[in-house]
Structures are given as C-alpha cells and as structure tokens.
Amino acid sequence: MEDFGTVRRDLESVLGKRDLPDGMALGDVLGRLDEAAGAAGLPARLVHYLERRSYVKALDWLGNP
C-alpha cells in the first residue's frame, strides 16, 4: 500500500487528534486536503471521502483500506 502520511496527518489535525502543523491554520490544512483529492494516483474511495469532506471515513479507510 502507498504511504499517505501527509493526508493522514492532515486528517488527524482536522479531526483534533493531533496539533496543526507549525505555522498552519485550519484553513491551510483543509486546502491541502482539497488539493490531495484532486491529485493523481489516489484510490477512488479515498478521493470520494476527501471530495465530500467525509474526513472521519477517510481516516478510517486509511486504517483499513
């Protein structure tokens, strides 16, 4: 399986499971997740969750695709 570390960390930040990255606001992290949804190479199910901002489901999927 591919490493989706940045997406996972961003999801955890949005969901309050970790602190926001230094120097970033919540809007910045949400923007990165929006960009990730449009990136090539992501699995369709993960893109589906990101596009719909179903971040809990996206994080769960990353734990067990």
Side-chain angles (χ1 to χ4, degrees):
M1 184 174 106
E2 292 182 46
D3 177 28
F4 302 110
T6 301
V7 172
R8 180 184 305 274
R9 286 187 296 277
D10 285 348
L11 288 167
E12 290 172 347
S13 295
V14 167
L15 297 174
K17 297 181 181 290
R18 72 168 54 222
D19 292 335
L20 291 170
D22 287 339
M24 293 191 81
L26 182 58
D28 299 328
V29 177
L30 290 170
R32 274 199 329 200
L33 288 171
D34 288 344
E35 288 176 18
L42 285 183
R45 179 59 58 187
L46 182 56
V47 170
H48 169 84
Y49 292 140
L50 292 175
E51 286 178 342
R52 284 154 184 79
R53 293 193 169 186
S54 298
Y55 297 140
V56 171
K57 289 180 181 180
L59 189 57
D60 286 345
W61 185 89
L62 284 171
N64 188 21

